[in-house]
Amino acid sequence: MCGIVGYIGDKPAADILVSGLRRLEYRGYDSAGVAIVNGRLKVCKRQGKVDELQRALDSEQIAGSLGIGHTRWATHGPPSDENSHPHVSTTGDFALVHNGIIENYATLKEGLIRKGYKFESETDTEVLVHLIEDVMKTTGLELPEAVRQALATVVGTYGIAIVSQDDEDLLIAARKGSPLIVGVGDGEYFLGSDAAPLIEHTRQVVYLHDGEMVVIRRSGMDVRSLDNVPLNKEVHELEWDLEQIEKQGYDHFMLKEIMEQPVALENCMRGRVNVDDNSIRLGGLLQYMDQIRAAKRIIIVGCGTSWHSALVGEYLIEGLARIPVEVEYASEFRYREPILEKDDVVIAISQSGETADTLAAIREAKERGALALGICNMVGSTIARETDAGVYLHAGPEIGVASTKAFTAQVMVLTMLALKLAKGRTLSDEAFAGYLKGLAEIPDKIRDVLDIHEQIAQLAQVYRYASNFLYLGRGYNFPVALEGALKLKEISYIHAEGYPAAEMKHGPIALIDRFMPVVFLAMHDSTYSKVVSNIEEVVARQGSVIAITDNGSEIERHCEYMVRIPRTQEFLTPLLTVVPLQLLSYYIAVLRGCDVDQPRNLAKSVTVE
Ligand code: G6P
């Protein structure tokens, strides 16, 4: 989704802004622009990639050490130069960039048009610009105060940044529902809608919270609530370093992140899984464990891939700890008046910690008195802050839009949680020890799966022209079938569906012919013999079977291709079976010439409803 950068200091702003926008490209966008102040306000914006903007800037050579930049992901008005940000006041004095949605923009726009303001774009953002302008005109207030007053009339969500040619020592930012982080340097400040554009300049950051506005000058910054109460903000140290957000020789971030999974999971388990003293320690949940154990129901909410890991979580927590679990799309949960009781526990899963629907679901849960927990990757993200407690993934930054290592790390956290809930309740110490040993072996087993990446690349050659795919799995591997199908859809644009293998007979079987590749997750677990029957049903209809399996002798004759992966305990299989599916979608997308890291129309972090 949209990204914001800002700079105030003594270095050339254009370079800093453009490199910051490049770091935000992964979020998904369709146009980019900057506004830089150097005596006068200069704006340069283009539909298309940051490269287009860079070319335009190269020809204009805009100097100045104060500026803002934006990558836009269209909501109101199609991608175009006009609709790109920054948007500028009628007088040309100040420029504004905006993430989020102004819900009452139509009413505000009508009023402003009546007052004679002319609109050059179809965006909701331009309303904000004229609104601020109008407050200045009618009240005589200075820009910061006018921004504060204008924001009071706005309904919706925003992260905004503003610069003005009337004050070259002023950068204003404010947030409500759309993240903003200020990077603190030496006599200079950086602004980012996430940490990625800041890391190469500073690791000292201040997280703006909802309802806060910051006025930044080179000599310091002043953070206040939107109703003008001064706030003392803590400076945090970013955990990530530059290397982690670069490709390190890989062609794509997605491949790098797939390959990083063994290390990501080791980091996720570090200090938590203790084989020697047969324990799991989840520090963030320590004081809530009894409450979670006593929960009547655990409700897990998330979107996209995080929803799939939530489904694995349902199998894990119900299967191991015997606590009832429900999984809901965050977007449905928040609007359907869910029945929540005080003994319920709601867990939000979100890699970014910023997904608008997941955040709203957690707010809803808290309002209704439930304990709200978060499983997030981004440290300091809004969901991490607003939940009562939680567990970080520690998987390192995920830049590829299609989530990979975050999925396995989410499943890892849910596995640790399920085992911890089960210990001494449904699992003896001895059984727990066996499970813990299996868990600790997972990173090495993923290494073994990754070793066969060339075999999967060859498989991709065979299936690159397919128009449809079916993914089938049962039990713990049903959510993996969904995730495999999602990965393929997202980055290769091939239509794919995931189904519980037995459900195939209630619909998808009608689609099966010799042109339909069917990926089976056929691990030697409690559902194996049933899956073998499902494979036979597909073969009988000439479907082309690809099996991901740890066994295979019975099914070999039925399969066009078999991908053999290591054996593990049933509850741990999703951590292995998903890996070949990630690789398959990656290699197919590359062969089809798709933009793997920035697939069309998708965004890494969906910060609007
Ligand atoms: C977007 C991303 C997905 C992600 C989903 C949820 O759709 O493209 O990869 O799974 O949002 O994101 P979250 O950050 O909440 O896990």
Side-chain angles (χ1 to χ4, degrees), residues 445-485:
K445 290 189 174 175
I446 295 182
R447 284 188 178 95
D448 292 343
V449 181
L450 293 171
D451 281 347
I452 55 166
H453 68 274
E454 276 170 17
Q455 183 197 341
I456 297 169
Q458 281 164 17
L459 200 59
Q461 289 278 6
V462 178
Y463 290 101
R464 61 188 287 195
Y465 298 113
S467 336
N468 297 288
F469 258 81
L470 200 55
Y471 288 74
L472 301 175
R474 297 180 82 131
Y476 282 99
N477 281 298
F478 156 54
V480 179
L482 296 179
E483 176 60 8

Side-chain angles (χ1 to χ4, degrees), residues 1 26-27 301-309 348-359 375-378 383 393 398 400-404 406-407 410 483 486-487 490 599 602-607:
M1 293 256 134
Y26 79 97
R27 292 168 67 104
V301 294
C303 303
T305 288
S306 296
W307 183 78
H308 293 157
S309 67
I349 304 191
S350 174
Q351 185 286 129
S352 62
E354 301 293 351
T355 301
D357 283 323
T358 312
L359 177 60
I375 297 178
C376 299
N377 195 32
M378 291 287 256
I383 294 174
L393 303 183
E398 190 179 69
V401 164
S403 184
T404 52
F407 174 79
Q410 288 163 347
E483 176 60 8
L486 177 66
K487 286 286 90 72
E490 280 180 310
L602 291 178
K604 180 70 185 158
S605 172
V606 179
T607 48

Side-chain angles (χ1 to χ4, degrees), residues 185-224:
D186 191 7
E188 57 183 356
Y189 291 87
F190 307 83
L191 191 67
S193 44
D194 68 38
L198 311 183
I199 294 173
E200 64 190 284
H201 306 291
T202 178
R203 293 175 67 179
Q204 307 295 307
V205 298
V206 170
Y207 295 101
L208 279 196
H209 295 181
D210 273 355
E212 292 181 359
M213 183 172 132
V214 61
V215 171
I216 310 175
R217 302 190 183 278
R218 288 175 182 81
S219 55
M221 64 173 171
D222 178 25
V223 185
R224 290 173 186 244

Side-chain angles (χ1 to χ4, degrees), residues 86 148 312 380 423 587:
R148 200 183 300 284
V312 181
K423 193 180 182 200
Y587 287 120

Side-chain angles (χ1 to χ4, degrees), residues 565-578:
I565 63 172
R567 183 161 295 182
T568 185
Q569 285 136 303
E570 179 163 358
F571 74 104
L572 295 171
T573 52
L575 292 164
L576 301 186
T577 50
V578 75

Side-chain angles (χ1 to χ4, degrees), residues 3-5 33 35 68-70 85-87 95-99 125 128 159-162:
I4 288 179
V5 291
I68 50 177
H70 192 259
H85 301 209
H87 291 282
L96 177 148
V97 291
H98 165 226
N99 289 356
T125 304
L128 271 181
I160 55 166
I162 302 172

Side-chain angles (χ1 to χ4, degrees), residues 106-171:
T107 326
L108 293 171
K109 190 169 178 175
E110 251 174 52
L112 288 161
I113 289 173
R114 272 202 301 275
K115 286 183 171 180
Y117 288 94
K118 298 238 172 331
F119 282 78
E120 286 176 6
S121 76
E122 296 153 82
T123 64
D124 50 337
T125 304
E126 203 183 347
V127 168
L128 271 181
V129 177
H130 296 315
L131 199 60
I132 295 168
E133 213 175 344
D134 194 53
V135 174
M136 287 176 88
K137 206 153 76 188
T138 51
T139 63
L141 286 171
E142 296 287 316
L143 185 58
E145 274 321 300
V147 172
R148 200 183 300 284
Q149 218 174 85
L151 289 178
T153 62
V154 161
V155 179
T157 56
Y158 51 80
I160 55 166
I162 302 172
V163 289
S164 162
Q165 66 181 18
D166 296 333
D167 189 343
E168 284 199 39
D169 191 24
L170 176 67
L171 171 61

